[in-house]
Amino acid sequence: MVKKIFIIGSAIAVAALLAGLGVLIWWLVTREDEPPFSVRLLKGEGIGEIDYTAAFTEIPLVGEVFWWFYPTIAFGNRYQRPIILWLDGVTGVPPSLWGNLGMFGPYDLNFERRPDSWINRYNLLFIDSPIGTGFSSPKTNDQIPKTAEENAEHLALTLESFYTEHEGYRDTPLYIFGQAHGAQLALALAAKLHQGTTKYNLEGVVLGNAIISPALVMTKLGFYLEELGYIDANGRDAIETLSRETTQLVQDKKLEDAFDKFVSLGQFVNENAGATAVNLGNIVQKLTREPTTGDLFGQREYLRRALNNTQDYLDIMNTEVAKALGISNPTYDSGREDVIKAFKSSFMTPATEKVEYLLQNTSISVAIYNGNLDAVSNTPGQLEWVENLKWDGMQNNFLSAPRASIVVNRLVEGYYRNGTRLQFFWVNAAGQSTPLDNPAALNSILNRFVY
């Protein structure tokens, strides 16, 4: 009897074990087949009469990435007109706001039609990235990426989700624009797309007022400000001391400390170098003495002044824009400080190798433009890293090309040097937001590079 009970018990145990194993195998198989993303299209009241798609790409266990797409209104086949993907970085203003409503999208912050919008010629795609910025949000703060490479994983999934919804655009020429720190995100995404199995028609990467080698660019800041009369020799010495300290921290891999030095530039220049209320993002503008906590390089103040809008932009996005798009319970850009904290350990790492990789290993073209009134990404400092890129075509192609003028309506709006796959544009009368400050020059750059 005991033996019989033992046999029955053993059989039951084996059956349970096999059942459990079956469940485990089923879980592994189904999890392996689980799609890496899903798309939640937004259905709100809408904004104006221009077609658009607004959506969240939901990445399991990570979070959701917001994107906003406008098909071009140019005459002809829209699938043949390039897509411009616009990215900003962790110290900037989200693309859904600044690039779209602030600079060149079809509508401004008052929802009024912008007659010179880039959709007149191009398809526009804005992605709020990294998660935690704009309308994009992580499941938990642990899911916020810490490097441009980690962020590229999220961007690549988001881009694939866009093509899933808009299959007709898979062969459309793609140009990735990265402003300020967004340039690092753009380069990482371009490299990932090139190395991936899914091929896209990526034609070019455009780096605007790019934060690529920030410590190196700082070495020219004292010279830049002294030549323009904002500081004297003592102020230049003070800034160059700060620059040397920052460079040493980068070399010692103390990147978080280097980041703290870098983002203190505005306060340091105005309190320790003899300048007075200079906005380093656009040096012809003056800042007030009011506290600007969390406003790195005066960008939010710059936005308010540029748009002549005293209403807080977070309120606009959380109320009017969110309602129009159909976003419930929005917390626009509420995770910005967490994103900055996450990227502190990688922000100051030079990204010049990524530029070299694209030039040396791909057929992707690279264009760089810089506003001459941006002191943070000052043009002398930008040229320092650009002219020292390691690329076979550097000496006999780019550096040997003559510098020519950008002339629009008989006015010189800047200059350019045009190599086969590398172009550099000096833009006059423009700060950190060059498309807003000098749209005539940017239109000329677009005509030369994006086609």
Side-chain angles (χ1 to χ4, degrees):
M1 183 69 177
V2 173
K3 183 177 181 180
K4 184 177 180 181
I5 293 173
F6 174 78
I7 292 173
I8 293 173
S10 298
I12 293 173
V14 169
L17 178 63
L18 291 174
L21 183 61
V23 170
L24 176 61
I25 292 173
W26 174 85
W27 182 82
L28 290 172
V29 170
T30 55
R31 186 165 180 80
E32 191 173 291
D33 292 338
E34 182 180 336
F37 61 81
S38 60
V39 179
R40 177 162 58 93
L41 297 176
L42 295 170
K43 304 293 184 182
E45 299 174 356
I47 297 176
E49 300 177 353
I50 300 296
D51 291 339
Y52 70 85
T53 302
F56 285 104
T57 295
E58 299 181 343
I59 304 174
L61 305 179
V62 173
E64 53 184 18
V65 182
F66 174 80
W67 53 273
W68 197 342
F69 173 68
Y70 294 96
T72 182
I73 60 173
F75 178 78
N77 187 345
R78 63 178 54 175
Y79 300 119
Q80 295 178 351
R81 299 298 304 152
I83 297 173
I84 290 178
L85 165 57
W86 184 267
L87 302 172
D88 211 309
V90 305
T91 56
V93 178
S96 58
L97 168 62
W98 195 215
N100 180 18
L101 300 174
M103 293 195 290
F104 51 82
Y107 296 97
D108 62 20
L109 269 174
N110 297 314
F111 294 170
E112 295 180 357
R113 184 78 169 82
R114 180 177 285 115
D116 57 349
S117 169
W118 290 7
I119 67 159
N120 296 344
R121 292 176 291 166
Y122 308 106
N123 301 286
L124 299 180
L125 177 59
F126 302 94
I127 300 180
D128 285 349
S129 180
I131 54 174
T133 63
F135 283 124
S136 299
S137 61
K139 292 288 186 183
T140 67
N141 285 346
D142 291 338
Q143 301 304 321
I144 296 174
K146 296 178 174 60
T147 66
E149 289 73 23
E150 290 179 19
N151 190 70
E153 299 282 344
H154 301 163
L155 283 173
L157 289 172
T158 304
L159 189 58
E160 178 59 25
S161 76
F162 161 76
Y163 285 119
T164 300
E165 295 297 322
H166 297 280
E167 289 284 350
Y169 287 95
R170 282 194 179 272
D171 295 327
T172 300
L174 173 66
Y175 291 82
I176 305 175
F177 279 59
Q179 174 166 282
H181 179 256
Q184 293 193 29
L185 308 185
L187 290 168
L189 175 60
K192 180 171 181 58
L193 296 182
H194 176 260
Q195 295 163 0
T197 55
T198 303
K199 299 302 179 184
Y200 301 93
N201 192 9
L202 177 57
E203 296 285 346
V205 175
V206 181
L207 313 177
N209 293 66
I211 296 177
I212 297 294
S213 188
L216 177 61
V217 174
M218 274 182 67
T219 64
K220 298 295 183 181
L221 179 60
F223 159 78
Y224 173 82
L225 292 176
E226 185 183 23
E227 290 296 303
L228 293 173
Y230 282 90
I231 59 174
D232 59 13
N234 292 329
R236 177 173 176 174
D237 287 343
I239 292 173
E240 290 181 346
T241 297
L242 179 69
S243 173
R244 286 191 294 272
E245 293 171 354
T246 306
T247 297
Q248 188 61 53
L249 288 170
V250 171
Q251 293 174 350
D252 294 342
K253 305 299 182 184
K254 297 179 179 179
L255 297 176
E256 294 192 11
D257 293 335
F259 176 86
D260 290 336
K261 294 277 188 183
F262 178 69
V263 298
S264 74
L265 275 178
Q267 180 180 357
F268 186 90
V269 168
N270 287 310
E271 296 182 6
N272 300 83
T276 304
V278 173
N279 183 348
L280 295 187
N282 191 319
I283 60 171
V284 297
Q285 293 184 355
K286 292 291 184 180
L287 295 173
T288 66
R289 284 296 188 181
E290 298 172 0
T292 55
T293 303
D295 187 11
L296 299 179
F297 310 121
Q299 294 192 57
R300 296 178 187 176
E301 179 63 21
Y302 181 80
L303 184 152
R304 293 189 183 97
R305 292 188 183 192
L307 302 181
N308 194 26
N309 194 318
T310 57
Q311 184 179 356
D312 187 277
Y313 72 79
L314 294 179
D315 291 339
I316 296 174
M317 300 303 288
N318 278 324
T319 55
E320 299 175 53
V321 175
K323 180 181 179 182
L325 295 179
I327 300 175
S328 58
N329 302 316
T331 55
Y332 192 78
D333 216 35
S334 62
R336 175 71 58 174
E337 292 301 320
D338 295 317
V339 173
I340 291 173
K341 182 179 179 180
F343 270 84
K344 283 182 68 173
S345 60
S346 66
F347 185 99
M348 296 295 290
T349 303
T352 49
E353 290 184 359
K354 293 186 178 69
V355 182
E356 294 167 344
Y357 172 83
L358 295 182
L359 293 173
Q360 195 70 20
N361 299 284
T362 78
S363 60
I364 299 167
S365 297
V366 178
I368 303 160
Y369 65 80
N370 212 73
N372 66 348
L373 301 180
D374 184 355
V376 177
S377 297
N378 61 83
T379 303
Q382 296 288 63
L383 288 171
E384 190 74 11
W385 68 260
V386 170
E387 294 178 350
N388 286 282
L389 289 171
K390 295 179 177 62
W391 169 48
D392 290 345
M394 199 67 199
Q395 190 64 45
N396 297 324
N397 185 296
F398 177 74
L399 293 178
S400 62
R403 193 174 90 138
S405 301
I406 301 173
V407 180
V408 181
N409 296 327
R410 302 176 64 184
L411 295 176
V412 177
E413 301 290 357
Y415 308 89
Y416 68 94
R417 175 168 287 133
N418 187 6
T420 302
R421 289 180 40 242
L422 177 63
Q423 300 181 27
F424 189 93
F425 297 88
W426 295 255
V427 182
N428 293 342
Q432 62 187 355
S433 295
T434 303
L436 179 72
D437 295 334
N438 194 335
L442 251 294
N443 283 332
S444 180
I445 293 170
L446 291 172
N447 289 336
R448 295 174 188 276
F449 191 78
V450 182
Y451 47 84

